[in-house]
Amino acid sequence: MQELVRKLVHLVFGLLVAAMVLIAGQAAATAILATGLLIGVVLVDLLLRGYRIPLFSFLVRHLDRNDRLPGRGALTFAVSALAVVVLFPVTISVPAIVTVAVLDSVTTIAGLRFGKHRIYNGKSWEGTLSGIAVTAIVLLPFLTPAGAAVVAILAGIIELISPVDDNLVIPVAAAVLLAFMPAFLSFAP
């Protein structure tokens, strides 16, 4: 149950970040993400020093995976979101952020619920294929059908096999792919 709630929070938070980038634009989104990241690092430092921060301590206690670094998933997501917003235009950064938010959440949720055939690192065909399919559909407002399929498949493969935190790698890989394949883009903010 905790993993389901974690992934739902991941999905909502990720989509809110993508919406903020789309609505606020690159400059404001950069400032907001950088400020949020700085605040997050300060809060993590306080937790590591033994301080209790009312809401933040509650969230880490109930939603975190008991990692050595509290809030690691949120921090890695914020770092990669900031990187793609700084390095790429909104037309690329928004679908890149949507990709990690949707794919990472759906693969885990579908894998927990329907996963029967494990393929790698405890992950299932059912979770991986569900994540790719849902991500491709969600990307259609931003990308051509071919672009949505290619980005979703690339992200699904990365999520499956990457030894590096997928929150760090997926948005950057999606953004780099889209930067080299501008024909995949289909929206302008």
Side-chain angles (χ1 to χ4, degrees):
M1 183 60 155
Q2 180 182 359
E3 191 65 14
L4 174 64
V5 173
R6 281 185 75 256
K7 289 303 176 177
L8 289 174
V9 168
H10 184 278
L11 176 64
V12 170
F13 177 73
L15 293 176
L16 287 173
V17 169
M20 181 265 303
V21 173
L22 186 60
I23 294 165
Q26 190 172 20
T30 299
I32 292 166
L33 285 168
T35 302
L37 184 59
L38 177 61
I39 291 168
V41 169
V42 168
L43 293 173
V44 167
D45 185 56
L46 289 169
L47 284 180
L48 290 171
R49 293 172 188 268
Y51 290 92
R52 291 180 43 88
I53 301 126
L55 177 61
F56 192 69
S57 295
F58 174 83
L59 291 173
V60 167
R61 187 171 48 255
H62 288 66
L63 296 177
D64 212 21
R65 286 187 177 150
N66 296 324
D67 215 345
R68 289 186 319 228
L69 180 63
R72 182 177 64 89
L75 288 174
T76 56
F77 183 92
V79 166
S80 67
L82 180 59
V84 297
V85 168
V86 167
L87 297 173
F88 299 95
V90 170
T91 55
I92 291 175
S93 60
V94 168
I97 294 167
V98 167
T99 298
V100 71
V102 173
L103 185 105
D104 192 32
S105 300
V106 172
T107 55
T108 301
I109 292 168
L112 289 171
R113 177 70 177 95
F114 304 108
K116 302 273 188 267
H117 303 94
R118 302 290 167 200
I119 50 176
Y120 184 75
N121 213 14
K123 297 176 182 182
S124 70
W125 278 114
E126 296 84 358
T128 298
L129 294 176
S130 296
I132 290 170
V134 171
T135 302
I137 292 166
V138 171
L139 287 174
L140 287 174
F142 308 104
L143 306 176
T144 64
V150 170
V151 168
I153 291 167
L154 171 70
I157 292 169
I158 291 170
E159 197 274 336
L160 183 64
I161 65 171
S162 178
V164 178
D165 188 319
D166 55 3
N167 285 334
L168 287 172
V169 181
I170 289 173
V172 174
V176 168
L177 173 67
L178 292 172
F180 283 104
M181 300 296 292
F184 284 165
L185 301 172
S186 69
F187 93 107

